[in-house]
Amino acid sequence: MARDPRYDVLFEEVKIGPVTAPNRFYQVPHCNGMGTQYPSSMAAMRGVKAEGGWGVVCTEECDFHHTGDVTPAIEARLWTEQDIPIMARMVESVKRHGSLAGCELVYGGMAGHNLYSRDVAMAPVAIPMEGTAPGQARAMDKTDIANFRRWHRQAAVRARDAGFDIVYVYASHNLCLLQHFLAHRYNTRMDEYGGSIENRVRLLREVIEDTKEAVGDTMGVAVRLCVDELIGAEGIQANEDGRAAVELLADLPDLWDVNVSEWDKDSQTARFSEEGFQEPFIGWVKEVTNKPVVAVGRYTSVDRMVSLVNKGIADFIGAARPSIADPFLPRKVEEGRIDDIRECIGCNICVSADFMNMPMRCTQNPTTGEEWRRGWHPEQIAEKGSDGRVLVVGGGPAGLEASRALGQRGYAVTLAEAGTELGGHLNRVSQLPGLSTWARVRDWRIGQLHKLANVEIFLDSKLDANQVREFGFDHVAIATGSSWRGDAMGSTHRTPIEGIHEKGILTPNDVMAGAELEGPVIIYDDEHYFMASVLAELAASQGHKVVYVTTAPDAAHWTHNTMEQSLIQKRLIEMGAELVMGKHIAQIGDQEIELACNFTDNRSWMDRGSLIMVTMRDAHDALYSELVADPAALETAGIKSVTAIGDCLAPGLIAAAVYSGHKYARELDTEVPIDSPPFRREVMGLSNDWPGELP
Ligand code: ADP
Ligand code: SF4
């Protein structure tokens, strides 16, 4: 198919100083939990995006000096020449496809911690560290400032030597020294680097000038700037010093990559922000500079991207998450395949991997992070390994993805779903407050399945073991999902609370199915992800008084990893919910519950209406168990394999269910080792200097 002419503007070249981007699709720097620890994985992941048409592909944060070390985060690194080959691998992987490679140099300052190097961090003034204190940074004197400028210059040269086309001067996300100099709450210096905005911008200006002088004839020099910290007058504000900083530096850099800060504000989830949510804060930047501007805001709508350019808000469509969810987004636009775009759902599971220091994963894109180690390409898949016919039982995220990927391999697939629509638990979850974009996981897969003539779909088809055996398939995948328990068993209560079944307890399944609630509604969160908090919102929206009890120290505790925790807690407080933290249920009465403090075991009774248990889920594995319990019957039926996938195997994240379905499809009719890892590993290079001098 040909590209829609309305989208031509997205494929115009744009100059960034001495280099030229082939189009306006710009993968802004983003963390991925691979960095220098899994460099081949990182390089292959970036390369796939270039192949998918992103005209500029950047690194994650790249620390460049041992006094600005961002350990324990797994990021890129350019401390010395020793690091260049790793970064060169990523550059080569990107440039092979004609895209530009950008490097985001970072100096952590008071957000850096130096946990590996054990140096003392530096800041504009002596001040406690940001984040994982205890510890304080020391104030920089003029020698420190001169040293910092030299280190940045040296790093820019190393980035050039690694082959990068663009180098960043980074002042955003509250993660780096240059932003700390800009922010008046940190920078209370009395010299020419503190005080007025002219003074606070001085170091940024000097570093841009240094970088241009060092490499500016060969590389584009980009500035990534936080123009608003969204904390009011205490922080940088778009209508104050944010704008003043851009005005003062207007045409000095070759490109402005602007956003709001911190990272949780820049990468808000769909639950808390709309596509394009940053426009009110960055819309003015092009008025004050002639240099190209990059804007982010979880853009997945191509029309919206076009209007961003046509309205003069930005020259580049910046994307981190949309490029993770679909590395081939630009290519699909170019080929007129808009409905093949796999849109980001804005869940931040990708972000959670970075917080947990492990390779990135994505709810929508099961291949991310697996490009090199398993050889999974987001668009290509091996042809079927046999003419075997496959039955997939269950049409939730796991069954949908398995059927889709098996269909893509060319297998004859039958998908049987008990319900009258596909989507599994997502159908109801995506109707909960704030989660409508999650339906994209279902909708994209249904759209793809409809294009596959070799996949048959049967709705309203609840299968039992006899039926499965009668049909005569070669392989059967059981993707029958899970449902919530209502007996309190979970992370805290490792066994059910006795007698609980007579107490009229509700589960999330009951509530999502429309169970009548009675106030005060007590929601017991022993799972700590999103479910309890969205049910609290639902109950409050129906006018009930809500008591949110969690066994964790704060609301929706695990969502620290998706950067939603503070927003969730704020929302619960603002809607009038009573929050009870660090307690668990000791006893349940008919109209009350007894809570026990996790630390002291002090007890207190609380009146209750409805009690909703959010603890754990049970796999619907009865069909699977019945089938595998009778191998002779399977053999008679000609069934060669029966495999449980998704929540039926082990209830978990939607991302895990999608991954499980995808993995099943990839591995069918292949030899998968089980005594050793079924993927390539990156074993770190050993130093040549061993044993050297030992104490
Ligand atoms: P997952 O997240 O693993 O995909 P879900 O719970 O979202 O799991 O989806 C499971 C799907 O399986 C549901 O749509 C459910 O209706 C369907 N299902 C469960 N049991 C059967 C069965 N015996 N036959 C057909 N479909 C089934
Ligand atoms: Fe988007 Fe979620 Fe994938 Fe991140 S994990 S890219 S937010 S779909």
Side-chain angles (χ1 to χ4, degrees):
M1 259 189 290
R3 164 170 106 207
D4 185 328
R6 285 180 305 150
Y7 303 147
D8 287 353
V9 68
L10 299 174
F11 293 89
E12 291 169 352
E13 292 184 347
V14 182
K15 274 185 79 63
I16 305 172
V19 297
T20 303
N23 60 40
R24 296 181 187 271
F25 294 97
Y26 193 112
Q27 182 246 277
V28 291
H30 71 75
C31 303
N32 54 86
M34 293 183 270
T36 46
Q37 195 152 329
Y38 309 103
S40 307
S41 296
M42 181 269 284
M45 177 270 293
R46 301 288 187 204
V48 157
K49 297 205 210 196
E51 185 191 352
W54 295 89
V56 179
V57 178
C58 297
T59 60
E60 57 276 45
E61 287 186 338
C62 179
D63 63 9
F64 61 84
H65 195 265
H66 58 276
T67 60
D69 156 27
V70 300
T71 311
I74 302 175
E75 308 289 346
R77 176 155 287 170
L78 271 177
W79 286 8
T80 64
E81 277 64 33
Q82 229 186 337
D83 301 302
I84 291 180
I86 288 184
M87 302 315 294
R89 184 171 292 187
M90 176 244 167
V91 170
E92 183 209 6
S93 176
V94 167
K95 290 172 80 161
R96 190 188 308 155
H97 301 287
S99 305
L100 299 180
C103 180
E104 184 186 56
L105 297 177
V106 65
Y107 188 90
M110 60 190 265
H113 296 280
N114 299 332
L115 294 180
Y116 173 51
S117 68
R118 302 184 67 175
D119 270 290
V120 172
M122 297 192 289
V125 296
I127 197 166
M129 300 292 289
E130 276 288 313
T132 50
Q136 292 187 198
R138 68 175 177 83
M140 290 171 85
D141 62 19
K142 295 288 169 54
T143 306
D144 295 320
I145 289 179
N147 286 341
F148 167 70
R149 289 178 57 184
R150 190 177 62 259
W151 298 334
H152 199 285
R153 226 174 7 243
Q154 290 168 343
V157 170
R158 286 195 287 274
R160 182 195 62 198
D161 293 348
F164 284 101
D165 307 287
I166 297 168
V167 63
Y168 267 78
V169 177
Y170 182 38
S172 190
H173 298 123
N174 206 19
L175 290 173
C176 46
L177 182 75
L178 288 169
Q179 184 176 351
H180 302 148
F181 266 82
L182 266 185
H184 61 82
R185 72 180 178 292
Y186 299 131
N187 184 352
T188 51
R189 294 173 70 99
M190 305 300 284
D191 64 2
E192 70 270 29
Y193 288 97
S196 66
I197 183 64
E198 287 78 5
N199 283 354
R200 284 183 279 127
V201 99
R202 187 178 309 278
L203 185 57
L204 179 58
R205 175 193 294 283
E206 289 173 347
V207 172
I208 300 169
E209 286 169 351
D210 293 341
T211 310
K212 292 208 83 162
E213 197 185 293
V215 299
D217 54 341
T218 52
M219 303 173 83
V221 176
V223 172
R224 197 170 204 201
L225 184 78
C226 155
V227 295
D228 203 313
E229 296 185 287
L230 305 186
I231 52 173
E234 203 195 331
I236 298 167
Q237 288 183 285
N239 55 1
E240 300 256 336
D241 39 3
R243 185 177 182 120
V246 183
E247 282 175 351
L248 286 165
L249 302 170
D251 288 344
L252 190 56
D254 297 317
L255 174 126
W256 285 100
D257 178 350
V258 285
N259 56 21
V260 297
S261 173
E262 301 187 11
W263 188 19
D264 59 344
K265 307 214 171 71
D266 185 25
S267 293
Q268 293 181 38
T269 60
R271 189 171 165 191
F272 294 97
S273 69
E274 299 287 328
E275 180 171 358
F277 64 95
Q278 302 207 21
E279 286 173 30
F281 303 99
I282 57 99
W284 49 270
V285 176
K286 272 189 70 63
E287 292 165 18
V288 287
T289 177
N290 297 305
K291 296 304 170 86
V293 171
V294 181
V296 290
R298 242 181 37 247
Y299 291 104
T300 57
S301 147
V302 188
D303 291 324
R304 190 78 188 252
M305 296 177 192
V306 169
S307 84
L308 204 60
V309 178
N310 288 346
K311 282 190 195 156
I313 295 172
D315 303 279
F316 285 104
I317 317 306
R321 292 169 294 176
S323 76
I324 297 167
D326 196 341
F328 272 61
L329 186 154
R331 187 75 81 80
K332 290 174 183 174
V333 180
E334 184 156 30
E335 292 171 359
R337 298 193 291 128
I338 301 300
D339 57 0
D340 286 340
I341 294 173
R342 192 172 46 220
E343 291 179 287
C344 168
I345 69 167
C347 62
N348 279 4
I349 289 302
C350 49
V351 170
S352 74
D354 191 62
F355 273 83
M356 294 187 284
N357 301 326
M358 63 195 191
M360 180 172 71
R361 49 213 55 188
C362 168
T363 303
Q364 276 284 54
N365 176 8
T367 65
T368 201
E370 308 292 347
E371 297 87 348
W372 178 80
R373 72 171 190 172
R374 288 186 192 267
W376 288 2
H377 188 280
E379 299 296 308
Q380 294 156 19
I381 194 164
E383 269 188 32
K384 63 183 180 179
S386 73
D387 286 330
R389 293 165 61 241
V390 190
L391 171 66
V392 178
V393 185
L400 286 173
E401 177 61 16
S403 305
R404 187 205 64 76
L406 288 165
Q408 192 188 359
R409 288 189 67 184
Y411 283 98
V413 180
T414 297
L415 169 59
E417 163 55 47
T420 52
E421 48 185 6
L422 295 171
H425 75 292
L426 261 181
N427 291 335
R428 285 197 165 140
V429 167
S430 61
Q431 286 177 21
L432 292 169
L435 303 184
S436 61
T437 55
W438 291 21
R440 292 172 176 180
V441 174
R442 170 196 69 197
D443 297 343
W444 181 77
R445 288 176 173 79
I446 293 176
Q448 298 295 301
L449 284 172
H450 286 320
K451 296 182 183 185
L452 291 165
N454 49 328
V455 180
E456 283 185 303
I457 298 173
F458 293 93
L459 297 177
D460 216 354
S461 304
K462 186 172 170 67
L463 302 187
D464 60 26
N466 284 334
Q467 288 167 316
V468 170
R469 285 187 290 248
E470 274 162 23
F471 292 137
F473 286 90
D474 297 277
H475 301 283
V476 181
I478 308 289
T480 44
S482 64
S483 50
W484 290 90
R485 290 179 79 105
D487 58 7
M489 183 168 161
S491 303
T492 299
H493 296 272
R494 292 311 199 173
T495 53
I497 293 182
E498 251 176 67
I500 197 169
H501 290 296
E502 297 97 61
K503 304 292 181 189
I505 309 298
L506 296 176
T507 68
N509 292 97
D510 299 324
V511 181
M512 288 189 282
E516 282 277 310
L517 298 180
E518 281 171 36
V521 176
I522 297 184
I523 298 171
Y524 183 59
D525 188 3
D526 192 35
E527 189 223 19
H528 311 148
Y529 187 27
F530 70 93
M531 180 57 82
S533 63
V534 291
L535 293 182
E537 282 189 52
L538 183 72
S541 72
Q542 294 173 2
H544 298 289
K545 174 174 167 44
V546 173
V547 185
Y548 171 93
V549 179
T550 177
T551 49
D554 52 15
H557 187 67
W558 191 80
T559 64
H560 282 283
N561 296 308
T562 58
M563 303 195 302
E564 294 171 295
Q565 194 283 327
S566 59
L567 293 170
I568 291 174
Q569 190 148 340
K570 176 171 180 268
R571 188 170 277 182
L572 292 175
I573 293 168
E574 285 175 351
M575 70 192 198
E578 181 183 341
L579 305 190
V580 180
M581 320 287 191
K583 295 193 176 178
H584 59 273
I585 293 180
Q587 291 185 67
I588 300 179
D590 291 331
Q591 273 150 19
E592 64 277 291
I593 57 169
E594 189 185 31
L595 294 178
C597 169
N598 288 353
F599 305 97
T600 62
D601 201 38
N602 280 350
R603 307 283 177 113
S604 56
W605 285 94
M606 177 178 273
D607 288 343
R608 73 168 179 104
S610 301
L611 172 59
I612 307 170
M613 287 280 172
V614 185
T615 57
M616 67 171 283
R617 286 177 281 164
D618 272 339
H620 292 162
D621 53 7
L623 176 60
Y624 170 77
S625 302
E626 190 181 342
L627 285 167
V628 296
D630 193 348
L634 288 180
E635 198 177 337
T636 310
I639 296 175
K640 300 185 184 74
S641 72
V642 178
T643 311
I645 61 173
D647 292 337
C648 171
L649 179 62
L653 298 176
I654 297 166
V658 170
Y659 176 79
S660 174
H662 191 84
K663 184 162 170 286
Y664 172 76
R666 287 264 178 186
E667 292 180 345
L668 190 64
D669 289 321
T670 67
E671 289 284 328
V672 182
I674 51 169
D675 290 344
S676 57
F679 46 76
R680 285 187 281 192
R681 282 194 310 140
E682 312 209 38
V683 179
M684 291 318 237
L686 292 176
S687 165
N688 293 330
D689 188 22
W690 172 261
E693 298 264 318
L694 290 175

